[in-house]
């Protein structure tokens, strides 16, 4: 059995732990009124980061369950965010763990963040007949893009979550 297959359950546990931490941070009461401040979409950050590096750790059903849990706990429209996150994760997983330079990864995440935010907003607008202001949704996506480099450093530097390609290079003795 290949090493990557044996480590998949451990990596899934890592993804779930980071996604649960992101959900808890997102729903934690911060003493702010509901419309006072927008927070970054940390679940989208976790899903993107893990799906890009270790697609085997982010099976679509697991991404869906994490996103539904976030929708339920955050009190948002259940399913809209989950569906857009799953669709976007499928597209990111297609890269199959290939390494990207940090600036290209950040640009890809920006597309991911704005596409998932707009997709969820559009779905709510169509199905519910009304949605939050588009500017609020897009500012949350922009904030997510701004915090991505810091979270990238934490996930990759502290927790050592690397792309399959990068892990193979390091194992062969290469630095980058």
């Amino acid at each position: 059995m290949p090493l990557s297959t044996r480590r998949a359950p451990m990596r899934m546990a890592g993804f779930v732990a980071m996604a649960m931490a992101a959900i808890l941070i997102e729903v934690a009461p911060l003493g702010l009124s509901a419309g006072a401040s927008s927070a970054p979409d940390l679940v989208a950050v976790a899903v993107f980061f893990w799906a890009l590096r270790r697609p085997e750790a982010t099976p679509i059903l697991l991404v869906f369950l994490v996103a539904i849990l976030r929708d339920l706990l955050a009190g948002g429209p259940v399913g809209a965010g989950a569906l857009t996150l799953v669709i976007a994760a499928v597209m990111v997983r297609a890269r199959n763990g290939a390494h990207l330079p940090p600036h290209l990864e950040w640009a890809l995440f920006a597309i991911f963040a704005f596409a998932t935010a707009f997709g969820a907003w559009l779905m709510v607008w169509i199905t519910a007949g009304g949605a939050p202001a588009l500017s609020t949704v897009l500012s949350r996506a922009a904030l997510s893009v701004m915090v991505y480099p810091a979270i990238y450093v934490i996930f990759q530097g502290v927790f050592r979550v690397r792309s399959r390609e990068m892990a193979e290079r390091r194992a062969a003795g290469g630095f980058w």
Side-chain angles (χ1 to χ4, degrees), residues 41 43 47 60-72 77-91 112 115-124 126-127:
D41 187 347
V43 174
V47 167
I60 297 307
L61 180 59
L62 188 58
V63 170
F64 179 75
L65 292 173
V66 163
I68 283 288
L69 180 63
R70 190 263 309 264
D71 286 352
L72 289 169
V78 177
L83 182 59
T84 57
L85 205 52
V86 164
I87 291 168
V90 166
M91 290 184 220
F112 177 91
T116 57
F118 181 73
W121 176 86
L122 186 62
M123 205 176 313
V124 170
I126 290 170
T127 59

Side-chain angles (χ1 to χ4, degrees), residues 51-152:
L52 183 66
R53 279 167 181 67
R54 296 297 180 165
E56 72 277 3
T58 56
I60 297 307
L61 180 59
L62 188 58
V63 170
F64 179 75
L65 292 173
V66 163
I68 283 288
L69 180 63
R70 190 263 309 264
D71 286 352
L72 289 169
L73 291 176
V78 177
L83 182 59
T84 57
L85 205 52
V86 164
I87 291 168
V90 166
M91 290 184 220
V92 171
R93 287 176 48 141
R95 293 202 46 84
N96 201 21
H99 175 70
L100 285 175
H103 66 284
L104 292 179
E105 181 175 328
W106 192 22
L108 185 61
F109 176 71
I111 294 167
F112 177 91
F114 283 102
T116 57
F118 181 73
W121 176 86
L122 186 62
M123 205 176 313
V124 170
W125 182 74
I126 290 170
T127 59
L134 183 57
S135 61
T136 303
V137 172
L138 295 180
S139 70
R140 182 174 189 203
L143 190 55
S144 301
V145 172
M146 288 190 291
V147 301
Y148 188 80
I151 294 173
Y152 172 93

